[in-house]
Amino acid sequence: MTSRILPRLYLLTDRHQTLHRPLSSVITEAVDAGVRMVQIREKDLKTRDLTSLCQQLIPPIKHQQGIVLLNDRIDLVLALGADGVHLRTDSLPVSVARRLLETGPLIGVSTHSVEEARVAEAEGADFIVLGPIFDTPSKRAYGPPLGIQILQEASRSIHLPIYAIGGITPIRIPDVLSSGAYGVAVISSILQSLSIPEITRELLARLS
């Protein structure tokens, strides 16, 4: 488990949700407004295209001393100097990822139940993302919303930082934090905003 203090706002990329704006400009706006942890999560890109995109996105994030994680691609984490990997529950076990990455890089895991969260902690993850907590179109494939009660249960039973994901808006953040979450992970609430700096600052204000 990392001793690093993690940011409380975690932005996941999806270039299909940027209202036709270049992902690089959207991410630059977000990090300039205060986002300090980003997961590059473009699952449908071939390796060469994903590498090229990462080479565009990593420098502006690093320029603001931000943390960059890559979705599932340990090879690219090592090749491109990212700060860690974010795993699905059905991808490489955390213990295997840790052997490949050694001690420095972060390992986050997406989970969809209290049991999955417990397994991720037992295997040595640094943090987990739990959801969907509320209904959101991008997470409907993962089943119905878990709700605040499951978030409370997970927060009581594991000691890792938990990021709540799914339908997160500024107004819901107080409930999420009072349920024991460390922070929130967002996609559309930032990427689809007409004012990325404004929504980023609002999310950060609620998280502080």
Side-chain angles (χ1 to χ4, degrees), residues 149-170:
Q149 196 171 345
I150 297 294
L151 178 58
Q152 289 172 334
E153 191 182 331
S155 301
R156 284 194 299 266
S157 62
I158 75 164
H159 302 98
L160 293 181
I162 298 174
Y163 290 85
I165 195 169
I168 301 296
T169 59

